[in-house]
Amino acid sequence: MSAAVETPSARTVEPTERRPARLAELFLLILALAAGITAFAMVGRSVTGTLPTEFWPVSLLFVAVALAAHVVLRVRAPWADQVILPAVVLLNGLGLAMILRLELAGMKGANAWAQMVYTAMGAVVAVLIVWFLRDHRWIRRLTYTAMLVGLGLVVLPLLPVIGTEKNGARIWVNIAGFSLQPAEFAKIAFAIFFAGYLVTNRDTLALAGKKVLGLQLPRIRDLGPIIIVWAASLGVLVFERDLGTSLLFFGLFVAMLYLATERFSWVLIGLVLFAAGAVLATSMFSHVAARMEVWLHPFDAELYASGSSYQIVQGTFAMAAGGLFGTGWGEGYPYKVPYAFSDFIYSSLGEELGLTGLLAILMTYLLIVQRGLKTAVAVRDGFGKLLAGGLAFVMALQLFVVVGGITRIIPLTGLTLPFMAQGGSSLLANWIVIALLLRISDNARRPSALPVRGTVAQGGSMHDPIVVGAFDDARSGTGTPAAGTPVRRSASDAPSRGSTPADATQTIDPYRDTRGGEQQ
């Protein structure tokens, strides 16, 4: 009688997990879209008494963009975080509603349809990244390429033909009639470079070097590429007069060093260097000194009359007028604040949504940052951890710089609020950040192909036990192994280590041999 042959597949237990339907994301998306579209309608009713002419085009395109992104995530990144996309759609919708409100009030420069077009372009770029980038670790190959791209983007505004200056800062590039702020994309390139470089040299940076006053300092030669990027961030401040972007680059630099080395000394060194740089910049550059003066004495009569502190004071009055619950959509006067649709959209939202609305907006931003940091903790590879952590931190830092400047916690810097302020460069860059976070979160949450504990791994005969010895009959493969040669045998032919219990309480005698007899 021939014994049944047990195939490797029959002996293998592979863990499987049902593909997520992403229903939670869909439900949250419906709520976010409802909030944005309702805001569009309330703005039109309050300002003109009817729905604005741009209501249906903006609303339909907004819904199509959000649902298309959801479908792509369901197909190509089913395990990605289900909260990030709805949070971004909510912020985008509220920002569009405020820009539309300012446009209906006749404020020069506000253009809701252009903002919607840039939103669609950003979402398309994000969808393409999620669709074609199946593994975020592939980006690690571009470590030094990202460094060169980032440096090139930083230098672009200094070129004589395409570089333009606005409000005292030379941070814009004008190509074929389109304005672009390259620093928004440079922060992504620098985050990729820092992640790729630090994951390779983290041990050297953390352990090599001398100790000074109890702080472990790395060797200068190990910091060469990073020092170049840090010098570039200082060059932004010196030559382009952009305090906000310089602070953003420097903060990203220090934060990712801390994430890579887990040494608090980097934070202390960064704070000391930042304080020294702030004092030096105040004494050397008149525009930095002027911003410090406006920050410290905004209600000075001379500063207000000259227009130096006019914007920050008007923004403060707008938020004060909003109170706890705001004046309501279309019921305030946000158009009295210069650049209320871009740099100061936070004060515009504070006037019409009140402190409650501002806190809800801040909590939505913090939710995105928290999900990004959670992704950094969950992902298995070092490059993904550093990249996700760096991208989440740079968004948190930009939020702090913008809100802190408007509320006078820190001097005003000129950065824009992600996803809400009008501006194509900011929208495109931040949608790319979201796409990378979603791709990394999909890889972090995706079930591992490794077997679970107590099961047999895949691979068939390659995982069969190796017995030292040769069979007596080499042709038939039977007999007792003799000493000398290792031979791979099937798991079903391996000698057992004792009898199998008939029930859970039966005692197993480990000294019984494989033939059932007592060992001698």
Side-chain angles (χ1 to χ4, degrees):
M1 181 176 64
S2 61
V5 178
E6 187 178 12
T7 62
S9 60
R11 293 183 284 106
T12 301
V13 179
E14 182 180 358
T16 58
E17 184 171 338
R18 185 174 59 87
R19 190 183 185 90
R22 303 186 69 82
L23 297 179
E25 180 183 75
L26 181 60
F27 174 73
L28 294 175
L29 268 181
I30 294 174
L31 295 181
L33 290 171
I37 294 174
T38 302
F40 300 160
M42 293 178 66
V43 163
R45 290 287 185 180
S46 299
V47 177
T48 64
T50 183
L51 290 178
T53 56
E54 298 177 348
F55 174 78
W56 289 112
V58 171
S59 298
L60 293 177
L61 182 57
F62 191 48
V63 171
V65 166
L67 294 182
H70 166 72
V71 171
V72 170
L73 286 177
R74 187 169 180 175
V75 173
R76 301 293 282 187
W79 281 275
D81 192 283
Q82 300 192 44
V83 178
I84 294 179
L85 179 62
V88 171
V89 170
L90 175 62
L91 296 174
N92 230 153
L94 296 179
L96 279 168
M98 178 51 64
I99 295 171
L100 178 61
R101 185 261 179 278
L102 294 170
E103 181 184 359
L104 293 177
M107 188 169 191
K108 184 179 179 181
N111 192 331
W113 177 248
Q115 180 75 351
M116 185 64 249
V117 172
Y118 282 123
T119 299
M121 291 173 58
V124 168
V125 172
V127 163
L128 292 176
I129 291 175
V130 173
W131 187 273
F132 291 104
L133 183 64
R134 299 307 302 270
D135 193 341
H136 64 274
R137 290 171 294 185
W138 180 87
I139 308 177
R140 187 176 176 183
R141 306 176 185 177
L142 308 176
T143 297
Y144 289 97
T145 303
M147 181 188 74
L148 296 177
V149 170
L151 293 175
L153 290 172
V154 169
V155 174
L156 274 181
L158 299 176
L159 298 181
V161 178
I162 61 176
T164 57
E165 182 175 335
K166 294 182 181 180
N167 302 322
R170 193 179 178 88
I171 59 175
W172 295 89
V173 172
N174 196 333
I175 301 176
F178 293 95
S179 294
L180 184 69
Q181 192 172 353
E184 291 286 348
F185 301 95
K187 67 183 181 183
I188 303 175
F190 285 150
I192 294 173
F193 163 67
F194 286 143
Y197 182 81
L198 293 175
V199 76
T200 304
N201 300 276
R202 63 188 345 178
D203 293 335
T204 304
L205 292 171
L207 302 176
K210 298 179 180 180
K211 277 192 174 183
V212 178
L213 299 177
L215 300 179
Q216 185 78 37
L217 299 179
R219 297 174 299 186
I220 297 297
R221 63 175 179 269
D222 298 325
L223 283 178
I226 298 180
I227 289 177
I228 294 175
V229 177
W230 176 63
S233 68
L234 294 182
V236 171
L237 175 61
V238 174
F239 298 106
E240 299 180 6
R241 300 180 179 182
D242 186 9
L243 181 62
T245 302
S246 179
L247 177 61
L248 194 66
F249 288 167
F250 185 75
L252 176 65
F253 165 76
V254 174
M256 295 196 69
L257 276 176
Y258 172 72
L259 289 175
T261 60
E262 298 182 0
R263 291 189 176 275
F264 188 72
S265 57
W266 280 111
V267 180
L268 296 178
I269 295 172
L271 291 176
V272 171
L273 291 176
F274 173 76
V279 173
L280 186 63
T282 303
S283 60
M284 291 181 60
F285 308 115
S286 59
H287 69 285
V288 177
R291 288 193 177 186
M292 293 292 291
E293 186 70 16
V294 168
W295 174 50
L296 295 174
H297 309 287
F299 297 99
D300 183 86
E302 294 183 3
L303 292 176
Y304 184 81
S306 65
S308 300
S309 63
Y310 180 80
Q311 186 183 35
I312 186 69
V313 171
Q314 289 296 101
T316 303
F317 288 160
M319 289 187 291
L324 185 60
F325 298 107
T327 60
W329 283 112
E331 301 295 334
Y333 301 91
Y335 47 85
K336 292 187 176 181
V337 182
Y339 296 99
F341 54 88
S342 57
D343 293 356
F344 267 69
I345 195 171
Y346 187 77
S347 67
S348 304
L349 292 165
E351 181 176 359
E352 300 206 338
L353 299 183
L355 178 62
T356 305
L358 290 184
L359 290 178
I361 291 172
L362 288 179
M363 290 300 295
T364 306
Y365 277 111
L366 292 179
L367 184 62
I368 297 175
V369 173
Q370 183 267 339
R371 290 288 173 160
L373 294 176
K374 185 178 180 181
T375 297
V377 172
V379 72
R380 300 174 182 88
D381 64 291
F383 175 76
K385 288 180 180 295
L386 289 177
L387 182 57
L391 293 176
F393 177 82
V394 78
M395 182 170 292
L397 181 59
Q398 185 167 348
L399 176 66
F400 169 76
V401 169
V402 173
V403 176
I406 294 175
T407 56
R408 294 184 51 239
I409 296 176
I410 61 174
L412 197 62
T413 58
L415 292 178
T416 56
L417 201 62
F419 302 111
M420 303 194 81
Q422 181 173 315
S425 302
S426 178
L427 267 178
L428 288 173
N430 287 294
W431 270 106
I432 293 174
V433 170
I434 293 301
L436 293 175
L437 287 178
L438 288 172
R439 170 49 64 203
I440 298 173
S441 69
D442 176 69
N443 292 340
R445 294 165 175 261
R446 185 179 296 273
S448 174
L450 297 177
V452 296
R453 180 176 295 180
T455 62
V456 181
Q458 297 182 4
S461 60
M462 293 301 296
H463 293 275
D464 290 333
I466 296 178
V467 181
V468 177
F471 292 108
D472 294 340
D473 190 346
R475 289 174 296 180
S476 61
T478 60
T480 305
T485 306
V487 176
R488 187 179 298 277
R489 300 176 62 182
S490 173
S492 59
D493 297 332
S496 63
R497 300 182 181 274
S499 57
T500 304
D503 53 67
T505 59
Q506 180 178 343
T507 303
I508 302 300
D509 186 359
Y511 295 100
R512 296 183 62 87
D513 62 10
T514 59
R515 293 180 297 275
E518 296 289 342
Q519 292 184 348
Q520 302 299 325

